[in-house]
Amino acid sequence: MKICDIKKVDGIAPEVFEYMNLKKHEKVIFCSDEESKLNAIIAIHNTNLGPALGGTRMWNYNNISEATKDVLRLSRGMTYKAAITGLDLGGGKAVIIGESNNKTDNMMRSFGKFVESQKGQYITAEDVGMTTHDMEIIFEQTNHVVGKPKKLGGSGDPSVVTAYGVLMGMKGSAYFKWGSDKLQGKKILIQGIGNVGRNLIELLIKEGADIYVNDVNANKMTTIQKKYNVKAIHDNIYNSNIDIYAPCALGGTLNEHTIPQLKCAIVAGAANNQLAKEYIHDDLLIKHNILYAPDFLINAGGLINVYSELKGFSESQVKEKTEKIFDTTIAILKKSEKEKISSQKAALKIAKERVFKTQSA
Ligand code: NAD
């Protein structure tokens, strides 16, 4: 297994270094293991508030530069997610380059050794393309993993709590926009019916919402329609007649092409980095009179859940902490209105104050 610091890697695009310096990343580490076919990157953005915690994403990136940019963006988001949620954690993230169907337990063991090499400065968890079973295998090699199965003393699948937090953020946004947090009869589109999306459907059914779903995987759409009373949207989802759009797939879906098409009043979902350009598309949403619930604020339920593994929270304390997302969402939206800045900027301002005690990065 070869592990090296980015500072020793030749041929990485200079823009990666520029981004690291601009956004103040502490460290990026690369790992390549021929035997298990593991190619992975860990990015540690900031450890001012505690060890850097963030999930591992397995994705079929086109090249190393694309994977590096993703891990840098995602790790920074984790710093602010922990900060705004009031957790004593830093921000980090890992990516594994490859098709998740080709994953092996051997590869996960190798990844566990890679995590262990950081001696607890980085703690890993589950993200897209990873499962609770993978966490179990990684745990064979390192203690610095959370989101383990309950049978191993872990907190289990975090997506259940993530979905609950998204619901809280959605209800807080509805309260701010419409003066009521009731979602009954509201047309809500969930894009991505994976772990979080499926749990969100169940919660929104209890709220009496009118649910629409979309997923690139046609089989998932068919299965979900058989199980729940939801409507499927197959074609262009962005110009659908809906009240709330909940991105629960991948990031970057809020951009100059999609925002002008949106007819919804609120965007509130689980996906990380929903704004393709965070300081441009946040203002574009305002221009189109669309309320945006910052993703890193409302998708923090999973982080709260895995944090409980480190701090020994009970299930009821996790629920209580996750429910606070409702109040924080309203507070951020009020700040945004008062200071005439986007909700994204208002949320980042508060998070950065906690991390840096300044306004930079
Ligand atoms: P998942 O992999 O279980 O589900 C993602 C779903 O999105 C899949 O069904 C996939 O087919 C679908 N999808 C992918 N690209 C799509 C596209 N272009 N259009 C429509 N559907 C598409 O992932 P998840 O755990 O449900 O997480 C969803 C999002 O929420 C991710 O961005 C993740 O980073 C974020 N998130 C998840 C958690 C968590 O606890 N799982 C916590 C915080 C944030």
Side-chain angles (χ1 to χ4, degrees):
M1 178 189 286
K2 289 184 202 120
I3 295 178
C4 55
D5 202 280
I6 192 174
K7 305 250 152 79
K8 293 175 197 152
V9 177
D10 288 333
I12 291 286
E15 67 215 69
V16 169
F17 288 102
E18 257 173 53
Y19 189 88
M20 276 182 77
N21 289 332
L22 187 70
K23 304 294 182 186
K24 298 191 177 7
H25 284 76
E26 289 178 10
K27 190 169 171 187
V28 181
I29 318 105
F30 290 76
C31 172
S32 180
D33 182 36
E34 232 174 306
E35 198 241 316
S36 65
K37 302 203 172 8
L38 173 77
N39 285 308
I41 313 171
I42 292 175
I44 296 178
H45 175 253
N46 189 280
T47 53
N48 286 1
L49 299 176
L53 195 154
T56 297
R57 175 169 295 191
M58 183 157 185
W59 192 252
N60 212 358
Y61 294 100
N62 289 315
N63 50 53
I64 297 176
S65 180
E66 193 183 295
T68 310
K69 282 181 200 159
D70 203 30
V71 79
L72 287 171
R73 247 162 82 98
L74 291 165
S75 58
R76 175 175 171 266
M78 291 309 296
T79 300
Y80 300 135
K81 190 186 299 199
I84 201 140
T85 313
L87 308 177
D88 293 332
L89 287 174
K93 201 89 182 178
V95 294
I96 297 177
I97 303 167
E99 179 58 62
S100 62
N101 291 338
N102 297 336
K103 193 195 301 156
T104 61
D105 284 356
N106 200 23
M107 186 189 280
M108 291 300 101
R109 274 184 212 103
S110 180
F111 181 71
K113 285 181 197 155
F114 181 34
V115 172
E116 179 61 21
S117 73
Q118 297 309 301
K119 301 184 170 72
Q121 213 188 0
Y122 169 67
I123 302 169
T124 199
E126 196 179 321
D127 193 50
V128 175
M130 300 291 279
T131 64
T132 312
H133 170 78
D134 298 330
M135 299 304 114
E136 195 174 340
I137 305 296
I138 293 167
F139 184 50
E140 288 174 11
Q141 307 297 328
T142 181
N143 284 328
H144 307 302
V145 50
V146 288
K148 300 185 290 288
K150 289 195 170 165
K151 64 179 183 200
L152 295 179
S155 54
D157 178 4
S159 60
V160 182
V161 190
T162 301
Y164 190 56
V166 170
L167 178 73
M168 292 299 115
M170 209 180 256
K171 284 172 86 65
S173 304
Y175 181 81
F176 188 83
K177 189 90 181 177
W178 299 310
S180 163
D181 71 349
K182 300 266 179 299
L183 297 175
Q184 187 158 23
K186 295 287 182 207
K187 293 191 170 88
I188 303 177
L189 166 64
I190 302 174
Q191 178 190 32
I193 41 177
N195 294 323
V196 180
R198 274 195 314 271
N199 284 299
L200 190 57
I201 289 176
E202 295 206 348
L203 293 169
L204 288 173
I205 284 174
K206 287 186 197 140
E207 292 285 322
D210 189 5
I211 304 167
Y212 294 74
V213 294
N214 169 265
D215 199 288
V216 280
N217 184 330
N219 291 339
K220 280 194 183 179
M221 297 266 273
T222 313
T223 312
I224 220 88
Q225 275 193 291
K226 278 187 192 151
K227 191 165 178 200
Y228 304 107
N229 180 18
V230 297
K231 301 170 192 82
I233 304 184
H234 295 278
D235 301 324
N236 183 14
I237 62 163
Y238 298 107
N239 64 6
S240 310
N241 255 321
I242 45 158
D243 299 303
I244 301 176
Y245 163 45
C248 294
L250 293 177
T253 63
L254 299 172
N255 54 52
E256 60 274 26
H257 304 295
T258 58
I259 295 171
Q261 298 182 59
L262 291 176
K263 293 182 181 149
C264 60
I266 293 171
V267 176
N272 286 309
N273 301 325
Q274 290 166 28
L275 296 162
K277 293 184 182 141
E278 71 177 332
Y279 297 140
I280 293 178
H281 298 130
D282 58 342
D283 289 334
L284 192 58
L285 283 164
I286 294 176
K287 200 175 146 203
H288 287 268
N289 197 23
I290 298 169
L291 184 158
Y292 173 63
D295 50 15
F296 69 94
L297 163 67
I298 76 164
N299 71 11
L303 184 63
I304 295 169
N305 197 50
V306 294
Y307 183 66
S308 72
E309 248 172 273
L310 300 173
K311 296 284 166 181
F313 283 170
S314 65
E315 247 174 68
S316 63
Q317 283 170 314
V318 167
K319 188 165 184 273
E320 203 179 297
K321 234 179 165 23
T322 308
E323 280 170 355
K324 283 201 180 126
I325 292 175
F326 178 85
D327 291 332
T328 315
T329 303
I330 295 172
I332 297 289
L333 293 171
K334 281 188 180 160
K335 184 178 172 70
S336 142
E337 190 174 60
K338 190 169 162 226
E339 297 184 16
K340 296 191 176 25
I341 53 174
S342 72
S343 52
Q344 176 77 2
K345 290 190 183 89
L348 279 174
K349 218 170 158 182
I350 292 176
K352 286 177 183 178
E353 274 162 15
R354 195 166 167 240
V355 177
F356 298 104
K357 316 268 187 270
T358 70
Q359 292 299 307
S360 58

